[in-house]
Every structure is written in C-alpha cells, then in structure tokens.
C-alpha cells in the first residue's frame, strides 16, 4: 500500500490507508490511546482501541516515545473535533526509527533553549503553522508578479559595491579583487533589468550587519524587490498597496487552520486590508507625532515606537512618503517640489510590526546621482556600471523592497521576526 500525505487526507475518507509519520504526542488510558501523528506538516489523531489489539501489542503502544517514526495502517474517518476534520482508526503499526529522550517535551521551554534546538523545534505545532504560512505567502508573492508580467531576475549575493548603506556591510576578501560584500539589496542589479524587460523582480536572501537586537531585525532576511520602468513614486505606491493586500488575502484564504493554531485574530487582520492603505507625507507624520507630545524634529528618522504611535493614531497600515533626503539612500530621486526631501515611501504595518516596505522613485539624472554618491563618500568607480544606466536611455523608474519575515510576523501575529525564518541569523546566533 502506498503511504499517503496528510495534505490529501480528504481523498481517503472511509478508506484504509498506510501513513508514515512521527509521533508528536500520545495520551490515553488502559482502554484507548490517542497518537498525534505528524506527516507533511500536518497532525492527525490516530485512535488505538484496545479490543483491536493483543494485550502485548496494546501495552507496546503505551510505551512508544515522542518523535519515533512509525508506519501505520488504519481507516480514515470524519472527526468534527479535530483541526484536520479527520482521524485514523488504527489497525496495525510498525516502528521505523527510535527516538530516545527527545529534548523538546510538552512542558514550557525557554526561548533560548528552543532556538538552540531550532533543528528539532521546527517539528512543533506552532512552528509547522508558521512555515506553512511562509510557504503560502512566498507562493502568493511569486504568482502575483508572474501574473503581472514581471520577469524574475536573480541578483548576485556577492557584490563589489555598497547597495544600501555602508554601515551594515558584511565583507570578505575576494581573491585578488579586494573586498566583496554580501548583498544588502538586489536593487541596483534589478535596475539594470528594467531596460531589458521593463518589469523585473527578485526574491532572495539579503544581508545586513545590523548591530541591533530588536524584534524586527535579522542579519539575514528574505526580501522581495520589484523594479518598474516608467513608473513614478505615486504609481509605485498604488502598486505596492494592491500587491500587499492581495498576497495577505490569498495567504489568509490558504492558511485558515494555521492561523487558528497561532490564535491570530483574522477578522482584525482582514479589517486592515479591506480598503487601500492611507498615504501621508513625512511632514504630516512629524506634525502628528508632535501633536502627541513626541519630541521629534523635522529631519529625524521615525523609530519603531513612533511608527506604532502613527499606526495606532491612523488605525491601520500607512505609507509615509517623501522623507528627508539626508536620512535616505543615495539613489532616491530628489523631490522637485521640495529638494530637501525625496520621492519615496515606506509602508508601515500596524500591531507593532512597523516598516515592512521601503521604496522610491530612482534618481535618473546622471549628474545628480554622481553628486549623491560623492556626498555619501562612496567610490564612484565601483558604481561605473550602475551609472551607465543613466547614460544609455535613462528613464524615470521606481521600485521597492518587502521584508518577507516582517510580513509573516504581521500575518501570523508574531511579536518577533526570528520565528518567521527557518534558521534565524541574529547578532548572537549563527547555530544551528
Ligand atoms: O528599506 P530597505 O533597506 O530598502 C532597500 O533595501 C531597498 N533597496 C529596496 C528597494 O527599493 N528595492 O529594506 C526593505 C525592507 C524593509 O522595509 C524591511 O521590511 C526589510 O527590508 N528589512 C529587514 N528585515 C529584517 N531584518 C532586517 N535587518 C531588515 N532590514 C530591512
Ligand atoms: Mg527602509
């Protein structure tokens, strides 16, 4: 008999199936035992009725250990109480692999202990749900861009120039060529692609040597970046709005069980994505903060705490556009209406999540971008290829980057991004 995947369990109602999986937990008494069996990221209850087994076999079942791998045969029946809607009535079983003293038990464990055992912790129920959400969200993201005729352009991870800011680079020696950096963004490479394909995106790991120990910083995170020719900042914002609301909606649709396991208030999340997100200017954000007695001056960056004050005040996600030039990256286009600001926008998510997207229109005028590179003390030489884009058919263009783990944290209602990636890299963590 071929063993089934719990992802297709509904195809097997009232049939006898073979199921290979792992024993998550076990409970019961001398008459009946309930095994929670994990397969394909799902968990099903397997019911063991004493009368179906010899005294010896039933006693053996009572001694099975957590995380043993098993092969089971049984009949699939409907079960209203269970999350999957089905359970299996056991007919026979065999042990495939033993498991002795599995360290993660049903009792409470500390965060550090769980992260040290991340390689095993991935099997736990909440972690299964989070990874399923990540999987569905990643799929929704890729399919959104595919449907919108964007071409996937994979950008390099080893780079010779600073992508975002000199302060947070991981560097390494690169043969005879001097220093190489781990990519902080694929953007500059993505910009090359618009001249060939008009609309391009990349989706991969990104690296920041962030010396910050916050709930929303990883040193390695996944970023979705998109770049579009002949797109201005306003169109870019509208596009991001549709993009984010679409992928959240699709993920909620696919992950009802997972969101329930995580006890996410889905109605609340849905309420945030019913209507287009609000767009305010940086100036307006500063006056609102000042009206709330925050001591912030025009020109300062808006920190996480203040982002939360704003999303609470406006009761939802919001784009903040046109930040001061001095606190944003060199490639952002100067605002013709106020040269002290740039044509950019950050998307700030509510519920304490904060900035999930950074985007902008790009400076397409050669002289201006050279000026900005010099101002930032970056080496003009290492940008010579990038500057070519402003020499040969330069056009207005815009793009943005979404931090995947931050969006997962928002959707799943998690307080920290570190559970949103299988193996988090943090200042103090490189293993497992
Ligand atoms: O705002 P950032 O730095 O923008 C860029 O890198 C642009 N080059 C993107 C573009 O226009 N193509 O980063 C974009 C997003 C942030 O809004 C945030 O969601 C996420 O990436 N991010 C991080 N996520 C986790 N840990 C970190 N250390 C992050 N730094 C940025
Ligand atoms: Mg940013």
């Amino acid at each position: 008999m071929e063993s089934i995947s719990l992802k297709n369990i509904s195809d097997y109602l009232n049939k006898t199936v073979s199921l290979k999986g792992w024993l998550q937990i076990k409970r019961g008494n001398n008459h009946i035992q309930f095994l929670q069996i994990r397969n394909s990221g799902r968990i099903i209850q397997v019911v063991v009725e004493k009368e179906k087994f010899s005294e010896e076999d039933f006693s053996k079942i009572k001694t099975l250990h957590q995380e043993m791998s098993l092969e089971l045969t049984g009949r699939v029946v409907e079960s209203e109480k269970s999350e999957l809607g089905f359970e299996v009535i056991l007919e026979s079983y065999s042990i495939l692999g033993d498991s002795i003293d599995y360290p993660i038990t049903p009792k409470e464990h500390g965060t550090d202990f769980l992260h040290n055992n991340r390689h095993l912790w991935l099997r736990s129920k909440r972690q299964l749900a989070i990874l399923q959400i990540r999987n569905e969200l990643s799929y929704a993201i890729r399919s959104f861009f595919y449907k919108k005729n964007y071409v996937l352009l994979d950008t390099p991870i080893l780079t010779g120039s600073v992508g975002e800011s000199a302060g947070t680079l991981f560097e390494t020696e690169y043969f005879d060529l001097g220093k190489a950096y781990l990519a902080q963004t694929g953007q500059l490479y993505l910009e090359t692609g618009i001249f060939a394909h008009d609309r391009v995106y990349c989706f991969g790991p990104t690296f920041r040597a962030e010396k910050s120990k916050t709930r929303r910083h990883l040193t390695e995170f996944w970023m979705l970046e998109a770049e579009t020719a002949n797109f201005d900042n306003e169109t870019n914002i509208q596009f991001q709005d549709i993009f984010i609301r679409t992928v959240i909606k699709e993920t909620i649709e696919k992950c009802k069980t997972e969101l329930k396991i995580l006890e996410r208030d889905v109605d609340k999340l849905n309420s945030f994505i019913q209507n287009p997100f609000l767009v305010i200017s940086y100036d307006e954000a500063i006056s609102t903060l000042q009206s709330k007695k925050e001591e912030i001056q025009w020109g300062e960056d808006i920190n996480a705490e203040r982002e939360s004050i704003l999303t609470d005040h406006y009761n939802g996600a919001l784009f903040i556009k046109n930040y001061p030039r001095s606190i944003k990256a060199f490639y952002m286009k100067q605002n013709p209406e106020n040269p002290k600001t740039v044509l950019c926008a950050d998307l700030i998510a509510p519920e304490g999540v904060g900035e999930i997207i950074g985007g902008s229109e790009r400076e397409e005028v050669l002289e201006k971008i050279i000026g900005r590179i010099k101002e930032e003390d970056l080496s003009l030489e290492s940008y010579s290829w990038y500057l070519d884009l402003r020499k040969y058919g330069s056009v207005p263009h815009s793009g943005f980057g979404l931090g995947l783990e931050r969006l997962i944290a928002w959707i799943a209602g998690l307080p920290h991004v570190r559970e949103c990636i299988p193996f988090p890299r943090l200042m103090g963590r490189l293993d497992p």
Side-chain angles (χ1 to χ4, degrees), residues 328 346 355 358:
K328 286 294 182 188
D346 282 357
E355 181 196 330

Side-chain angles (χ1 to χ4, degrees), residues 256-322:
K256 291 199 179 100
T257 311
E258 286 74 16
L259 292 165
K260 209 166 167 189
I261 290 170
L262 297 168
E263 296 170 56
R264 176 61 161 120
D265 182 346
V266 176
D267 290 341
K268 191 171 179 194
L269 180 58
N270 261 320
S271 74
F272 289 128
I273 59 163
Q274 286 312 306
N275 300 306
F277 301 139
L278 191 67
V279 184
I280 65 168
S281 66
Y282 170 88
D283 294 1
E284 195 179 331
I286 296 299
S287 352
T288 301
L289 287 168
Q290 286 171 342
S291 76
K292 299 200 156 272
K293 306 277 175 275
E294 285 296 306
E295 285 183 21
I296 186 169
Q297 301 306 319
W298 196 98
E300 282 177 49
D301 210 350
I302 302 172
N303 65 19
E305 205 180 304
R306 286 170 173 156
E307 284 177 349
S308 280
I309 294 175
L310 290 168
T311 54
D312 285 351
H313 176 80
Y314 293 104
N315 192 28
L318 66 145
F319 286 99
I320 303 178
K321 67 177 184 178
N322 304 352

Side-chain angles (χ1 to χ4, degrees), residues 164 208 301 307 327-328 331-332 345-346 355-359 401 406:
E164 199 60 30
R208 305 268 167 105
D301 210 350
E307 284 177 349
I327 55 170
K328 286 294 182 188
Y331 52 71
M332 293 191 181
D346 282 357
E355 181 196 330
I356 56 171
I357 288 186
R406 290 190 188 176

Side-chain angles (χ1 to χ4, degrees), residues 164 185 187 208 218 221 225 331 355-357 362 400 403:
E164 199 60 30
T185 168
Q187 181 196 323
R208 305 268 167 105
L218 294 161
F221 65 96
E225 295 181 83
Y331 52 71
E355 181 196 330
I356 56 171
I357 288 186
R362 318 309 190 186
F400 65 92

Side-chain angles (χ1 to χ4, degrees), residues 112-128:
D112 225 35
F113 173 84
L114 290 170
H115 276 283
N116 289 338
N117 286 287
R118 183 64 174 165
H119 53 299
L120 303 174
W121 188 28
L122 287 176
R123 306 177 189 191
S124 300
K125 195 169 175 183
R126 284 173 58 85
Q127 302 305 316
L128 297 177

Side-chain angles (χ1 to χ4, degrees), residues 219-280:
T219 55
E220 177 178 323
F221 65 96
W222 277 61
M223 181 151 57
L224 173 289
E225 295 181 83
E227 198 69 30
T228 316
N230 301 303
F231 237 37
D232 63 14
N233 193 41
E234 298 300 320
T235 326
N236 197 32
I237 292 172
Q238 284 164 22
F239 181 72
Q240 290 164 52
D241 177 83
I242 291 169
F243 162 55
I244 292 296
R245 292 189 300 121
T246 304
V247 297
I248 293 179
K249 191 162 156 263
E250 291 180 0
T251 307
I252 293 176
E253 203 52 46
K254 290 271 183 67
C255 297
K256 291 199 179 100
T257 311
E258 286 74 16
L259 292 165
K260 209 166 167 189
I261 290 170
L262 297 168
E263 296 170 56
R264 176 61 161 120
D265 182 346
V266 176
D267 290 341
K268 191 171 179 194
L269 180 58
N270 261 320
S271 74
F272 289 128
I273 59 163
Q274 286 312 306
N275 300 306
F277 301 139
L278 191 67
V279 184
I280 65 168

